[in-house]
Amino acid sequence: MVNEWFTVGTIANTHGLKGELKIVSQTDFPEERFKPGSRLTMMDPELSNQIEVEVVTSRNIKNTYIVKFKAWNDINEVEKFKGYLLKINKEQRIELEEHEFYYNEIVGCTVITDEGVELGVIQEILSPGANDVWVVKPATGKSVYIPYIEDVVKQVDVQNKKVIVHILEGLL
């Protein structure tokens, strides 16, 4: 069985001389992913080289994580990893609560109004502030922006890739 991989961070640069790396987080759970003892898989951007790593130390500085992995203690040993992706497999994902979803479960879902009108397919998810906004691309025309709020999103069926929404006045 082929593993399904999910990116949780990107190695942006080295930090200091003792083998630490600066990580740009791409996860909602950075405190879990980058805690000491956490196991991740480093992959080069072409996804051809995989290295299993274990976090020894980490700290958050200005929205990036400074992480030291087991096995490397010198800047010269880790410089080659700039640009590598940090990934987890499906079994390492955190169980979400009811009405919470991973982005990859939502992207690709067809959006249908509670009146039966198909709006299009969710292309991406924006996180501008208080709530996420789902960008829906119709077959023709401009994208539609659907806020992920209880008054609008009525049902999400990730198995069948369908989302039922109620369109409030002025939303479209």
Side-chain angles (χ1 to χ4, degrees):
M1 181 178 86
V2 176
N3 271 337
E4 190 173 353
W5 295 101
F6 302 95
T7 301
V8 296
T10 303
I11 299 174
N13 210 342
T14 58
H15 181 83
L17 301 173
K18 296 184 178 182
E20 292 180 311
L21 292 163
K22 188 181 289 189
I23 310 295
V24 176
S25 176
Q26 294 170 265
T27 176
D28 285 336
F29 311 103
E31 61 286 335
E32 180 69 25
R33 296 292 165 222
F34 305 124
K35 73 179 181 184
S38 179
R39 294 185 181 275
L40 302 169
T41 301
M42 285 183 5
M43 294 185 185
D44 66 6
E46 289 81 36
L47 306 178
S48 60
N49 188 21
Q50 297 181 11
I51 303 167
E52 298 293 323
V53 293
E54 181 179 335
V55 176
V56 175
T57 63
S58 73
R59 60 192 181 281
N60 186 351
I61 299 177
K62 297 181 184 177
N63 299 321
T64 60
Y65 279 79
I66 306 301
V67 177
K68 179 160 183 1
F69 294 115
K70 202 176 207 175
W72 298 301
N73 296 306
D74 186 84
I75 187 173
N76 296 318
E77 297 174 316
V78 295
E79 268 188 314
K80 62 186 171 203
F81 300 126
K82 289 180 195 176
Y84 270 53
L85 303 173
L86 293 173
K87 296 193 172 261
I88 59 168
N89 62 36
K90 192 170 189 168
E91 291 75 37
Q92 291 174 287
R93 293 195 340 179
I94 293 172
E95 192 70 31
L96 298 177
E97 294 184 24
E98 190 175 358
H99 303 296
E100 289 184 345
F101 309 96
Y102 284 105
Y103 283 9
N104 70 300
E105 294 175 320
I106 298 301
V107 172
C109 286
T110 300
V111 177
I112 302 167
T113 69
D114 51 3
E115 296 173 346
V117 177
E118 186 173 316
L119 295 180
V121 176
I122 299 171
Q123 297 294 308
E124 74 177 299
I125 299 173
L126 307 175
S127 298
N131 54 271
D132 287 346
V133 176
W134 296 352
V135 181
V136 178
K137 181 71 175 159
T140 59
K142 290 186 170 187
S143 294
V144 176
Y145 297 91
I146 303 293
Y148 181 59
I149 56 175
E150 196 174 315
D151 290 344
V152 175
V153 179
K154 296 301 181 182
Q155 181 183 358
V156 178
D157 180 357
V158 293
Q159 261 59 23
N160 295 311
K161 300 298 267 182
K162 287 188 180 178
V163 174
I164 306 297
V165 297
H166 174 72
I167 300 301
L168 300 174
E169 187 176 335
L171 188 60
L172 300 178

